[in-house]
Amino acid sequence: MKRLGLNIDHVATLRNARGESHPDPLYAAKFVAKCGADSVTIHLREDRRHINDTDAKQICKLDKVLVNLEISMNSEIVKKALNIMPDFICVVPEKRKEITTEGGLNLDFNKTDLKKIIKKFKKKKIRTSLFINPSIKDVKICKEINVDCIEIHTGKLSNLVKSKKNYLSEFNKIKNCSILANHLGIEVHAGHGLDYETTKILNKIDQIKEFNIGHFIIGESIFVGINQVIKNFKKILKN
Ligand code: PXP
């Protein structure tokens, strides 16, 4: 069965809106793991707009929860991540003014630095991943970088599906990249903008082993509760 990684950054966003302590991302991490999420994702942004250093440290210390820490290539953040020791890391591009992670990494430009970063985490036995656009060229560069996993940015496909446009070409790009990565021994994940419908569509690609989903799950939880939303996703991923 494919795995569900749940991004809990938005729990911190809600907490920070009041500057108080509720809802607590640490409690959320434990809670969603009990509800069946296979891992939790947190993004320690350079501007700390949601998860902060204390959250990251406490969440990564949890024994029974697998934690995927998203980080930029910023050397201070990389150093912190190496100290915090999450189970997994995923390197993502980060722009200060963006609302969310808008696309994959520029691998051509950052290949040498990324290779060094990935080596440091692998040395500590932390599973490594790079957030990339669905590009065959980028998958080949990932092999050179020697990363364990890739996470394919699914934002474009999600937007096409939501606006009822033809998504076949984007779907095929994701599928071909997944097949190639799998063939090269790189584990494939997918994430960004996913909801029930887009997850159902991408679930048809056998090579995708993990979906990382945040905004939709937290938003939908307002109506049906997070336990139910996780159950609904797990049911989709079973098929
Ligand atoms: N995967 C990565 C690498 C991300 O950066 C994000 C969002 O920050 C997600 C998945 C989750 O995206 P969404 O919140 O749109 O589900």
Side-chain angles (χ1 to χ4, degrees):
M1 185 170 150
K2 297 175 189 227
R3 302 186 301 267
L4 174 67
L6 206 160
N7 183 316
I8 55 168
D9 289 340
H10 295 292
V11 176
T13 303
L14 203 54
R15 175 198 59 190
N16 296 353
R18 275 288 168 100
E20 294 174 14
S21 58
H22 187 272
D24 179 12
L26 179 64
Y27 180 76
K30 293 188 255 187
F31 190 82
V32 301
K34 263 196 208 147
C35 294
D38 297 292
S39 57
V40 296
T41 291
I42 50 174
H43 184 174
L44 188 64
R45 275 189 171 267
E46 289 164 33
D47 62 8
R48 309 297 197 272
R49 68 171 72 156
H50 35 57
I51 291 292
N52 61 36
D53 297 55
T54 309
D55 298 326
K57 271 187 213 149
Q58 290 179 337
I59 293 169
C60 289
K61 261 195 206 144
L62 292 172
D63 278 339
K64 291 183 188 139
V65 183
L66 289 171
V67 183
N68 176 36
L69 182 65
E70 287 180 11
I71 53 168
S72 69
M73 293 174 61
N74 175 298
S75 56
E76 186 232 335
I77 297 280
V78 169
K79 210 164 134 194
K80 270 190 199 287
L82 285 162
N83 281 328
I84 292 172
M85 287 288 288
D87 300 285
F88 318 136
I89 57 115
C90 179
V91 185
V92 303
E94 206 175 296
K95 291 189 215 127
R96 199 54 59 89
K97 290 216 171 106
E98 67 191 355
I99 293 173
T100 179
T101 317
E102 282 162 359
L105 291 156
N106 182 341
L107 295 187
D108 255 340
F109 188 71
N110 295 305
K111 183 163 69 177
T112 313
D113 290 342
L114 282 168
K115 204 169 177 173
K116 285 184 199 150
I117 293 173
I118 294 303
K119 199 172 167 191
K120 285 183 190 165
F121 286 98
K122 286 186 82 157
K123 220 170 156 187
K124 290 204 165 197
K125 308 247 180 293
I126 293 170
R127 188 190 79 177
T128 56
S129 180
L130 296 176
F131 197 33
I132 67 164
N133 293 315
S135 140
I136 291 287
K137 190 174 166 218
D138 283 356
V139 174
K140 289 180 183 162
I141 299 177
C142 285
K143 182 66 187 168
E144 280 177 52
I145 292 174
N146 196 27
V147 70
D148 302 308
C149 316
I150 53 168
E151 180 165 337
I152 300 179
H153 196 295
T154 54
K156 187 166 174 196
L157 178 127
S158 296
N159 286 337
L160 289 168
V161 172
K162 283 172 203 166
S163 52
K164 308 219 178 303
K165 291 192 179 135
N166 190 332
Y167 60 84
L168 197 63
S169 149
E170 188 64 15
F171 177 84
N172 284 332
K173 271 193 206 169
I174 297 173
K175 186 173 175 182
N176 292 334
C177 286
S178 303
I179 291 171
L180 174 64
N182 187 57
H183 178 72
L184 295 173
I186 304 171
E187 187 174 287
V188 183
H189 308 154
H192 210 275
L194 298 175
D195 58 11
Y196 294 137
E197 191 182 1
T198 42
T199 304
K200 264 184 211 158
I201 291 168
L202 289 167
N203 194 41
K204 291 183 192 128
I205 302 174
D206 288 339
Q207 290 79 8
I208 299 178
K209 301 297 177 206
E210 181 177 305
F211 288 91
N212 286 308
I213 309 175
H215 189 265
F216 178 82
I217 293 184
I218 303 298
E220 183 68 1
S221 299
I222 294 169
F223 307 111
V224 297
I226 202 155
N227 192 8
Q228 187 59 49
V229 183
I230 293 169
K231 280 204 177 90
N232 294 345
F233 272 108
K234 297 286 280 191
K235 204 167 157 195
I236 292 169
L237 300 182
K238 244 189 209 165
N239 296 317

